[in-house]
Amino acid sequence: MTHPHAPAGQDADTTGRPAAPGDGTTPAVTPPAELRRHLAARLDGAARAWLDQALDEATAHPGTHGPISVWELRLAEAGRRCGPEHADAARVLILHTAHADAEALTRVYHQGTADERRAVLHALPHLVPGPEALPLVEDALRTNDTRLVAAALGPYGAHHLDAHAWRHAVLKCLFTGVALDLVADLDRRARGDAELARMLADYAAERTAAGRTVPEDLHRVLALTGSAPTQGADGPDAPHGKES
């Protein structure tokens, strides 16, 4: 089985930071109006004033104006102004208010920091109904930044990734330690998926043969596929299969 591997370069290492947002919200699935209420209740006065101004600017100048729009500049400030635990939600709100389309989101993603890229991924289900932004999801899944991987497997990725790419993304989560609770629509997409079951069983067998523990999440997903082995994936009867 071919495991997901880290590309050469600065993305080759995981961040070591939690994959989930820090303030308890999930910006990809929380409606923007609720995100704004959430932030209004938690930001201090200066941060609320900054966010209100940023959203007013995005409302006044939506889309793209010139080489860079004023709302794009605010994305870079969000962590400093609102605090890292609220920055994802603030950036998603700015992108939503600016009605950023796939082209603008792609530019922000490729020009932005890892934090800004994650916010773009969280914003996709609110802004892009079709598959135009799927290359951004695929790019995030090629990194080993666990926060980007988790964000890539939000509702947009769950809806638009094909079966082959989605299965390998689930395996990458197991390989890099991303909790599968962060994978949107996991139950539906994994249910009855015999090929995913084969890949998971192969991975479990390889880890067992190497004397390594099998992630608990693997047992849970294998059960969803309907192919959970009777003695557990790390037991003596763990199935073996071909490399994928």
Side-chain angles (χ1 to χ4, degrees):
M1 175 180 179
T2 301
H3 299 312
H5 61 279
Q10 65 180 20
D11 286 328
D13 295 326
T14 57
T15 65
R17 288 172 287 181
D23 65 354
T25 62
T26 306
V29 299
T30 304
E34 186 176 334
L35 274 183
R36 187 162 189 180
R37 289 193 296 271
H38 176 89
L39 288 181
R42 288 161 177 79
L43 296 177
D44 62 26
R48 282 198 305 273
W50 177 87
L51 181 61
D52 288 343
Q53 179 181 347
L55 296 179
D56 287 345
E57 290 168 344
T59 300
H61 302 286
T64 303
H65 295 269
I68 189 168
S69 298
V70 64
W71 56 264
E72 293 183 54
L73 300 174
R74 301 296 172 245
L75 296 174
E77 300 177 22
R80 176 166 55 88
R81 298 286 192 168
C82 298
E85 69 273 25
H86 302 304
D88 276 348
R91 290 186 176 109
V92 169
L93 277 177
I94 293 169
L95 290 167
H96 182 264
T97 304
H99 302 293
D101 60 13
E103 180 180 356
L105 291 167
T106 298
R107 184 179 65 253
V108 170
Y109 179 91
H110 286 297
Q111 294 178 355
T113 64
D115 289 341
E116 291 161 37
R117 291 182 176 197
R118 187 176 67 254
V120 167
L121 295 167
H122 286 318
L124 292 180
H126 302 301
L127 290 167
V128 185
E132 307 94 291
L134 191 56
L136 304 185
V137 172
E138 294 167 343
D139 181 85
L141 290 173
R142 286 192 291 269
T143 76
N144 270 357
D145 183 325
T146 56
R147 299 175 308 152
L148 287 181
V149 172
L153 289 171
Y156 187 86
H159 184 69
H160 292 290
L161 282 170
D162 65 27
H164 175 80
W166 186 83
R167 291 179 189 124
H168 280 276
V170 170
L171 212 61
K172 181 159 189 171
C173 287
L174 295 170
F175 188 66
T176 59
V178 174
L180 293 188
D181 284 341
L182 300 174
V183 177
D185 214 10
L186 177 68
D187 289 5
R188 181 186 66 81
R189 291 209 61 166
R191 186 167 292 114
D193 189 334
E195 177 61 13
L196 177 61
R198 183 190 67 80
M199 293 168 67
L200 293 170
D202 285 354
Y203 181 51
E206 289 183 11
R207 289 186 67 90
T208 300
R212 305 178 68 184
T213 60
V214 176
E216 187 60 35
D217 269 351
L218 186 146
H219 298 291
R220 181 163 66 91
V221 181
L222 199 57
L224 287 173
T225 68
S227 302
T230 56
Q231 297 191 34
D234 55 352
D237 295 332
H240 294 254
K242 297 182 297 182
E243 290 187 358
S244 59

